[in-house]
Amino acid sequence: MTLKLYFDFLSQPSRALFIFLKLNKIPFEACSVALRNGVHLTDEFKTKFNRFQKVPFIHDREFKLSESVAIIRYLAREYNLDNKWYPKDSKKQAQVDEYLEWQHNNTRAFCALYFQKKWLFPLLTGEPPVPEQLQKFEDNMISTFNNIENIWLADTPFLSGNEVSVADIFAACEIEQPRIAGFEPRQGRPKLAAWLDRVRNEANPYYDEAHTILNKMAKKGGQAKL
Amino acid sequence: MTLKLYFDFLSQPSRALFIFLKLNKIPFEACSVALRNGVHLTDEFKTKFNRFQKVPFIHDREFKLSESVAIIRYLAREYNLDNKWYPKDSKKQAQVDEYLEWQHNNTRAFCALYFQKKWLFPLLTGEPPVPEQLQKFEDNMISTFNNIENIWLADTPFLSGNEVSVADIFAACEIEQPRIAGFEPRQGRPKLAAWLDRVRNEANPYYDEAHTILNKMAKKGGQAKL
């Protein structure tokens, strides 16, 4: 196998990339990186695997690439993909890209920050979150959910139009994350909840496969351990 | 003119996009949006111009697109570009993309946050920044400069390799921004300073054109007004 995907199922873009590869039947070697054990923090990892010491990333023979969105574009070219997940049509692709760029400082940043401040850092440090700070992070996350509900899904069943795309996968994988911290994004948001179900259906069985650990942890209502 | 670019020269990605269009000789109508006057905050703007009420964005006849990085990719396809600024070669393009994705939650987020907290918000609200908060934002920004110096520019003269690309333009436009707030990114960073000079030389005369207002404001050492 020439293509290796390095990932952790507790990383949102790792799940998105895993699902994208499976849906597109791109053969790859699945290389699990257990972030919870800190294996990515060594100098050896930095030199041999990924200079940014994060997941996900790929090695395609000698070529090393990080950044999940850059990776899906690279794979779309290398495997000559042209389907609903990442269309070649210039305007359709631009609409998928528009979400993939927007998400970084919205869905990605705010769901991850809430998850880290509410659940991950307290678990790692033993210190509870500062309530006012946490409220600010929750407000930002909720504002993002509102933008998805009221802007992105205003007129279409999926983020980039009438067809599902990799944009929906990236968004859904981020929005599932705060469930580990006990926050249920579906609650009180019927439009977002119905869209999440549609994305899951379109991306299954791989969506459920990538979310197995997360779903188990979410069942513990914010009390799961690493 | 079918392509309209809506921009404000005080917006970092606006400058980057303006320079990219000029360097690639893509004809466009330059539509200035004065953010300082709040013209983007009306319902009319949201409906007719950009649903996200930000700049930059383009209108290409009936097609509306926001997110600067999505826009350069769209234009690269529409105008069949294949040059150093955004190469078609799959691996080279991936390396440019890798930076363009990385920047969102690094250069983009941290230079902008510092600029807003140190200079913009105090000017708009009359309230000075909280010193400990500002220090945190400054630390994050400096950490990003260090990553550019020590990781991105470790072995190559430009961010994505031996040739300048649109990645360098996006990075430089972000790094110039804190100068308005009185922070000089070149100081004590000879590698970053030399790289900024190289990018400016490659992208001139458009680099200087896009930075005319910023350079005037930077001369006032953090005391400029809107």
Side-chain angles (χ1 to χ4, degrees), chain A residues 18-221:
Chain A
F18 177 91
I19 295 166
F20 177 78
L21 280 159
K22 288 283 189 179
L23 286 167
N24 284 287
K25 302 191 193 326
I26 296 171
F28 67 99
E29 185 180 334
C31 305
S32 178
V33 178
L35 297 182
R36 65 189 173 282
N37 298 336
V39 289
H40 57 304
L41 301 175
T42 64
D43 281 343
E44 192 199 359
F45 192 93
K46 189 173 180 171
T47 315
K48 288 194 185 166
F49 290 92
N50 176 15
R51 57 188 173 161
F52 298 107
Q53 299 180 284
K54 290 182 175 178
V55 292
F57 59 93
I58 59 165
H59 288 184
D60 190 12
R61 296 182 197 266
E62 299 305 308
F63 187 64
K64 298 174 181 177
L65 189 65
S66 64
E67 290 298 328
S68 50
V69 177
I71 292 169
I72 65 122
R73 291 199 180 97
Y74 169 72
L75 294 174
R77 289 191 299 275
E78 293 292 310
Y79 290 85
N80 200 22
L81 302 184
D82 184 14
N83 57 31
K84 61 185 178 183
W85 300 111
Y86 199 64
K88 268 194 187 169
D89 174 85
S90 181
K91 287 188 172 57
K92 283 187 184 172
Q93 187 172 121
Q95 285 169 320
V96 177
D97 281 354
E98 189 179 38
Y99 175 79
L100 291 174
E101 298 306 315
W102 181 86
Q103 55 122 16
H104 287 286
N105 284 309
N106 291 280
T107 337
R108 170 88 189 115
F110 295 135
C111 292
L113 276 170
Y114 176 83
F115 163 77
Q116 289 165 3
K117 301 285 177 179
K118 171 87 186 289
W119 184 84
L120 186 63
F121 294 162
L123 202 68
L124 295 176
T125 63
E127 285 180 33
V130 181
E132 304 84 59
Q133 280 186 1
L134 190 62
Q135 189 58 52
K136 215 179 117 188
F137 290 118
E138 189 173 318
D139 292 346
N140 284 337
M141 184 174 70
I142 288 172
S143 164
T144 292
F145 293 156
N146 292 341
N147 283 335
I148 290 192
E149 182 108 358
N150 302 324
I151 300 182
W152 287 102
L153 295 174
D155 307 312
T156 56
F158 295 103
L159 298 177
S160 303
N162 289 318
E163 279 206 288
V164 71
S165 80
V166 72
D168 299 286
I169 298 175
F170 271 75
C173 288
E174 294 294 342
I175 293 171
E176 297 280 6
Q177 193 80 356
R179 292 177 54 227
I180 300 175
F183 186 98
E184 184 41 75
R186 286 170 177 81
Q187 207 153 17
R189 295 180 189 85
K191 214 167 173 180
L192 186 142
W195 161 79
L196 265 181
D197 288 343
R198 283 195 294 276
V199 178
R200 179 179 165 237
N201 285 337
E202 292 271 2
N204 256 344
Y206 312 115
Y207 192 89
D208 282 353
E209 183 182 352
H211 286 91
T212 306
I213 300 166
L214 185 149
N215 285 330
K216 273 186 195 161
M217 293 172 83
K219 272 193 182 158
K220 297 185 181 167

Side-chain angles (χ1 to χ4, degrees), chain B residues 93-150:
Chain B
Q93 186 171 121
Q95 285 169 320
V96 176
D97 281 353
E98 189 179 37
Y99 175 79
L100 291 175
E101 299 307 314
W102 181 85
Q103 55 124 13
H104 288 286
N105 285 308
N106 291 281
T107 336
R108 169 90 190 113
F110 296 135
C111 292
L113 277 170
Y114 176 82
F115 163 77
Q116 289 165 5
K117 301 284 178 181
K118 171 87 185 291
W119 184 85
L120 185 63
F121 295 162
L123 202 67
L124 295 175
T125 64
E127 285 179 34
V130 181
E132 304 84 58
Q133 281 187 1
L134 189 62
Q135 190 58 52
K136 215 179 116 190
F137 290 118
E138 188 172 319
D139 291 346
N140 283 336
M141 184 175 70
I142 287 171
S143 163
T144 292
F145 293 155
N146 292 342
N147 283 335
I148 290 194
E149 183 108 358
N150 302 324

